[in-house]
Amino acid sequence: MTRQVLVTGATGYIGGRLVPRLLADGFAVRVLARSPQKLTDVPWASEVEIVPGDLHDLDSVREAMRGVDVAYYLVHSMRASGDFEEDESGAARTVAAAASEAGVSKIVYLGALHPDGVELSRHLRSRVAVGRILLESGVPTVVFQAGVVIGSGSASFEMIRHLTEVLPYMPAPKWVRNRIQPIAIRDVLHYLRAAADLPPEVNRAFDIGGPDILRYGQMMNGFAVEAGLRQRPIASLPVFTPWLASQWVNLVTPIPRSLAVPIIESLQFDCIVREHDIDGVIPPPEGGLTGYRTAVRLALTKMRDRTVETSWRNSSVDGAPSDPLPSDPDWAGHTVYTDVRERSSAASPQSLWRVIEGIGGERGWYSFPLAWALRGWADKLVGGVGLTRGRLDPDHLQTGDAVDWWRVEHLERGKRLRLRAEMRVPGLAWLELSVTPAEGSGAIYRQRAIFFPQGLPGRLYWLAVLPFHGIIFSGMVDRIVLDAERAEQEEAERAEHGAG
């Protein structure tokens, strides 16, 4: 018989990655979502039952709990103000009451590692309180107390990512010297999934963490190494209060202050595993727990592999736990700058494509030749390839061909050409040119420049060239469309003249 599972927090980072693993293992999954529209584009939306509701509404929680065997509680408020502690405790009491009433056999909750014998931050204190309420519900409950979760989309990991990428030097609070035991997202999901099969006599909290105990500063420099950045000098400054540090994080990263405050408040203590009892209940994953640097590498690899495809169009993705999801927040993932332009053309898709495939070399780049030439000379001066390579064939391209300082990375003949920049820039750059048939007749030309900045120099570089984009890229769009239309017209005139 198929077991019914309820997941709360499916629009969040952990829940959105747990659901497909439960589905793959044959569970019938129901999700309770206050904003079901956030799940529209996730790849598993059609495979689950989505129940609109709020954790403070007992009736909607009762409806969601109907027939449920295991309930996952993966919700945590990350507000910087307001009486969120009472709100969270109230929601936990509602879930506990509805689960008990419905005869749920197990509740699984993800809390946070915390030290004993100190005054906890409000957010850590709230997580401890929620775990206690669920453990006392009368329903067998497993509470996992996890360290910083490492994976693209995790708020704590994204803060590490953006701080390290942006700042060549780190003025930091004294908590950068605190010890932390991070855990990879894939290992968190391993424990959450396995908890569904634990016997009913297991009713307790377990500490979980990865194999590495690091200082927060070491985590930032470990990220730098994996991201191909220089390690950052870090100065611990006692004047940085939690409030001031959160303002600083909000200023130099896209992390909202409402998230930065609770994260930083929770970093005031050492957060490491105090007991390893989980090993006697749930064995570690096959191959062992994932080390910090490996977890960072996986997150960065997934983002680099997929961001070119997903960051500028809303497409569904699935796969490894490190993969991005459409429900992830805007500030999650690698920083990406884009320049996107689109134009309708009277020319046919075939005529437009001939111009696209013939770009570069002797034909040039259809806009502001002097600017392209100057950029090519500048690239040569710093040891780059410049614009002198040209192209092998003036009319046709193959994947891997050089086109001046670009390389053909992806080619769908007649549809899309993606070029990867091989010039010397502080980051990674692409130029994508595509054509689609328009309704009735004609075609739509679309052009996208994409840049992944590397550190602060990459961001400054983008800002420096931004004024020229309005001239260069808009000119490219106009000239490419015009050339296609002119070539088609000339072809039609020749055909008419020949017929005459």
Side-chain angles (χ1 to χ4, degrees):
M1 181 177 176
T2 302
R3 298 167 67 190
Q4 180 75 59
V5 171
L6 172 68
V7 177
T8 66
T11 59
Y13 175 66
I14 301 291
R17 287 156 174 77
L18 176 64
V19 167
R21 277 138 196 88
L22 295 171
L23 290 169
D25 284 348
F27 289 94
V29 179
R30 180 183 299 154
V31 302
L32 177 68
R34 186 170 52 186
S35 303
Q37 68 273 13
K38 291 183 179 180
L39 298 172
T40 302
D41 292 319
V42 296
W44 40 262
S46 62
E47 301 176 58
V48 302
E49 179 188 355
I50 301 175
V51 178
D54 191 292
L55 291 178
H56 294 90
D57 177 12
L58 182 57
D59 289 339
S60 63
V61 178
R62 278 173 173 160
E63 176 62 23
M65 289 286 183
R66 181 174 42 84
V68 164
D69 181 43
V70 179
Y72 283 92
Y73 192 94
L74 303 175
V75 176
H76 177 61
S77 173
M78 292 293 275
R79 289 180 296 167
S81 60
D83 193 9
F84 69 88
E85 288 184 80
E86 180 51 40
D87 285 350
E88 288 215 307
S89 292
R93 283 190 286 268
T94 300
V95 168
S100 179
E101 198 176 298
V104 171
S105 65
K106 187 175 301 298
I107 297 173
V108 182
Y109 171 61
L110 183 63
L113 280 177
H114 59 276
D116 286 329
V118 299
E119 184 176 350
L120 300 176
S121 69
R122 296 174 302 156
H123 284 266
L124 285 178
R125 190 167 62 232
S126 180
R127 289 195 171 193
V128 172
V130 167
R132 186 180 302 116
I133 290 168
L134 297 175
L135 286 167
E136 295 171 355
S137 65
V139 177
T141 297
V142 176
V143 174
F144 291 118
Q145 297 173 156
V148 171
V149 178
I150 303 302
S152 188
S154 161
S156 298
F157 174 73
E158 294 299 337
M159 191 171 82
I160 295 169
R161 178 206 298 271
H162 289 295
L163 281 173
T164 310
E165 287 183 341
V166 171
L167 299 175
Y169 164 77
M170 299 255 193
K174 60 182 181 180
W175 47 255
V176 295
R177 302 191 182 282
N178 289 347
R179 295 183 304 156
I180 298 174
Q181 195 160 352
I183 183 169
I185 176 61
R186 58 180 55 211
D187 294 339
V188 173
L189 297 176
H190 165 78
Y191 288 121
L192 289 172
R193 164 59 191 90
D197 300 326
L198 291 179
E201 57 268 22
V202 178
N203 184 76
R204 57 161 291 182
F206 296 95
D207 287 355
I208 58 173
D212 300 319
I213 298 175
L214 304 166
R215 299 188 187 279
Y216 200 81
Q218 291 176 313
M219 290 176 63
M220 288 191 274
N221 274 323
F223 176 92
V225 172
E226 294 300 331
L229 303 170
R230 292 179 180 176
Q231 294 194 47
R232 295 347 195 183
I234 298 174
S236 176
L237 303 178
V239 295
F240 265 109
T241 64
W243 181 88
L244 190 58
S246 65
Q247 307 308 310
W248 174 241
V249 169
N250 184 231
L251 178 66
V252 300
T253 81
I255 307 296
R257 196 182 75 85
S258 59
L259 282 178
V261 170
I263 292 173
I264 288 171
E265 284 181 347
S266 300
L267 293 174
Q268 305 307 306
F269 323 100
D270 287 347
C271 287
I272 59 177
V273 170
R274 299 161 298 175
E275 45 81 13
H276 297 271
D277 296 352
I278 189 63
D279 294 341
V281 179
I282 299 175
E286 186 177 352
L289 293 167
T290 308
Y292 172 70
R293 292 268 297 272
T294 301
V296 170
R297 194 178 312 131
L298 288 168
L300 292 176
T301 300
K302 289 299 178 181
M303 287 307 301
R304 286 169 179 155
D305 289 348
R306 290 180 175 268
T307 303
V308 174
E309 299 294 341
T310 64
S311 66
W312 58 70
R313 70 171 178 261
N314 191 21
S315 62
S316 294
V317 295
D318 54 20
S322 303
D323 292 353
L325 283 177
S327 55
D328 287 348
D330 293 339
W331 42 261
H334 200 293
T335 298
V336 182
Y337 296 126
T338 61
D339 184 293
V340 181
R341 298 173 191 268
E342 188 176 287
R343 189 69 46 85
S344 297
S345 172
S348 68
Q350 294 78 12
S351 296
L352 216 81
W353 178 256
R354 280 196 291 272
V355 177
I356 290 172
E357 193 171 358
I359 200 167
E362 292 186 3
R363 291 191 180 97
W365 295 88
Y366 295 95
S367 177
F368 208 164
L370 180 59
W372 284 94
L374 289 172
R375 184 64 182 86
W377 294 333
D379 192 52
K380 290 289 285 185
L381 286 174
V382 296
V385 296
L387 285 173
T388 58
R389 290 193 305 188
R391 45 181 292 164
L392 291 174
D393 186 298
D395 300 312
H396 301 287
L397 292 172
Q398 300 292 333
T399 301
D401 280 359
V403 184
D404 295 327
W405 63 40
W406 304 91
R407 180 78 58 182
V408 178
E409 183 177 83
H410 180 75
L411 177 66
E412 292 178 71
R413 203 171 302 282
K415 295 181 180 180
R416 180 178 292 109
L417 168 66
R418 187 166 71 233
L419 304 170
R420 185 185 71 250
E422 294 185 337
M423 68 187 88
R424 293 293 183 92
V425 290
L428 302 173
W430 292 264
L431 179 64
E432 185 179 77
L433 316 175
S434 63
V435 56
T436 54
E439 288 188 25
S441 62
I444 305 295
Y445 171 70
R446 198 171 192 214
Q447 175 181 294
R448 298 183 284 197
I450 308 99
F451 183 61
F452 290 4
Q454 186 175 48
L456 184 60
R459 287 158 172 80
L460 295 176
Y461 171 82
W462 178 262
L463 292 175
V465 300
L466 198 57
F468 301 100
H469 287 176
I471 301 172
I472 294 172
F473 290 136
S474 63
M476 280 185 67
V477 173
D478 293 339
R479 281 288 310 279
I480 286 173
V481 168
L482 182 63
D483 271 32
E485 291 174 346
R486 183 183 294 143
E488 190 166 89
Q489 184 178 0
E490 291 174 354
E491 188 176 325
E493 289 174 353
R494 284 195 300 270
E496 183 178 347
H497 180 72

